[in-house]
Amino acid sequence: MTAARTTAPGRWRALPAPVWASLSRAHEERADALTAGHRARKVTGERHAIDDFLYDYYGTRPSVLRRWHPGVGVVLEPGPDGPAPHRQWRWYATDADGVVRLDVAAFLADRADSVRFIHRLLSSIASRPAFTGCFGLHEWAMVYRQRAHRHPLPLRLGQEGTDAVVESHQIRCTHFDAFRFFTPDAVHLNRLRPTRASQVELDQPGCLHASMDCHKWATKLGPAVPGDLALDCFELAREIRLLDMRASPYDFSSYGEPAVAVETPEGKAEYVLRQREFAQRAGRLRARLVEVCATLLAAP
């Protein structure tokens, strides 16, 4: 396999056709494997209380996820059949010699404000220590003193037992997109009042939802994000979502998923251990997304 070489402009790398074709095939296979369950359920209309979140809440589309992008700073050399198929995709440009590249100017014309916000938010999160004392109680606050619930699953401890857990703990949720789903009776129990405007000041690396959101930001950065990074963010979000639900008040035994019983010392210890592992992984992905933003914003 021919190695990538540097091409003009000086900071861009060129991928020969055999290289990018191989990367694209591998990416599609990995994406298909990650979304296989969801795509199969889509055909039958079956719902999944854990996995559907990634597609419903984040608006993830398997067809978009499987589309490989080289990322900003990489150009694709033409092959025997001509320029790369990316030439027909939004925000790509084709040079006279058939080399295809991300059209940074066009992308920024449409997404500059988003890129600046993502860069500021992710840089701010990375600058803070991880807080790991929340124990996933945001999910419990979302059903506090509420008879109707989002998922058609029983509560492990029943409503009264669930309410008692909330009342016996300090709630400290830093993430607005979790806090906004608290029940009215739970809102005043949270030590903080996250808002969309305060997200840059409050989001922190220990938060499961802030780590899951790496997938959201990778999606919003679209073709500027290398394919492997996009799938790494999605895969991490899937794993975090599973912990988020296993630590929730819902009974997921019908899915074959044992509870992480955060109402117990043992469950808290397990949750914090996994939370720290995810924070480290998300930190590495977040740093790469910050680099993508910086590269875009530094473009002439």
Side-chain angles (χ1 to χ4, degrees):
M1 185 175 288
T2 308
R5 62 178 174 80
T6 302
T7 188
R11 287 177 297 178
W12 293 68
R13 292 183 305 116
L15 293 181
V19 176
W20 59 252
S22 176
L23 291 171
S24 181
R25 286 192 298 271
H27 176 92
E28 291 172 356
E29 291 172 1
R30 181 184 174 197
D32 286 345
L34 288 170
T35 63
H38 171 76
R39 288 184 290 108
R41 288 190 298 272
K42 195 78 171 176
V43 173
T44 62
E46 181 185 354
R47 299 290 297 170
H48 194 288
I50 301 173
D51 204 42
D52 285 347
F53 175 81
L54 298 173
Y55 301 91
D56 296 341
Y57 180 77
Y58 286 121
T60 304
R61 291 160 51 195
S63 60
V64 173
L65 198 64
R66 82 188 301 268
R67 179 172 282 192
W68 176 78
H69 295 281
V72 64
V74 179
V75 302
L76 306 178
E77 294 183 341
D81 298 325
H86 302 63
R87 71 187 184 279
Q88 299 177 339
W89 300 355
R90 188 181 183 188
W91 294 312
Y92 279 92
T94 306
D95 296 343
D97 59 359
V99 169
V100 178
R101 70 177 77 244
L102 178 69
D103 189 336
V104 175
F107 183 76
L108 289 178
D110 292 338
R111 297 286 177 90
D113 288 345
S114 292
V115 174
R116 282 190 284 266
F117 172 77
I118 295 168
H119 184 264
R120 187 161 59 98
L121 174 64
L122 300 188
S123 297
S124 296
I125 294 173
S127 72
R128 301 188 181 103
F131 174 72
T132 57
C134 65
F135 306 123
L137 291 170
H138 56 277
E139 288 290 337
W140 298 69
M142 293 178 191
V143 298
Y144 180 63
R145 293 185 179 177
Q146 196 89 308
R147 296 297 170 181
H149 308 135
R150 288 183 301 152
H151 301 300
L153 294 168
L155 301 179
R156 289 192 295 107
L157 306 180
Q159 188 65 57
E160 290 186 5
T162 300
D163 294 346
V165 170
V166 174
E167 291 163 359
S168 64
H169 287 78
Q170 253 190 6
I171 312 296
R172 189 182 184 278
C173 179
T174 57
H175 194 65
F176 172 68
D177 283 316
F179 177 67
R180 68 191 177 99
F181 291 107
F182 279 28
T183 66
D185 287 336
V187 167
H188 75 280
L189 299 177
N190 197 36
R191 291 182 59 190
L192 303 168
R193 292 293 183 273
T195 64
R196 182 67 69 205
S198 67
Q199 185 174 9
V200 173
E201 287 71 40
L202 289 182
D203 267 6
Q204 50 88 21
C207 172
L208 291 192
H209 280 261
S211 293
M212 271 196 289
D213 278 353
C214 285
H215 168 54
K216 174 168 73 172
W217 306 126
T219 301
K220 288 187 177 296
L221 291 170
V225 175
D228 68 305
L229 176 56
L231 292 187
D232 285 349
C233 290
F234 178 72
E235 190 165 21
L236 178 63
R238 288 183 76 216
E239 295 180 36
I240 293 176
R241 172 62 177 173
L242 178 57
L243 175 63
D244 201 30
M245 290 296 94
R246 289 180 59 207
S248 78
Y250 293 102
D251 182 354
F252 279 95
S253 59
S254 60
Y255 285 81
E257 297 295 345
V260 176
V262 294
E263 70 275 15
T264 69
E266 296 79 13
K268 286 182 173 67
E270 181 181 355
Y271 184 87
V272 170
L273 178 64
R274 298 298 310 283
Q275 187 179 22
R276 287 173 177 164
E277 292 172 351
F278 286 140
Q280 291 176 355
R281 287 174 59 187
R284 292 190 289 270
L285 300 181
R286 195 176 290 119
R288 293 184 63 191
L289 292 172
V290 168
E291 184 180 357
V292 168
C293 293
T295 301
L296 288 168
L297 296 172

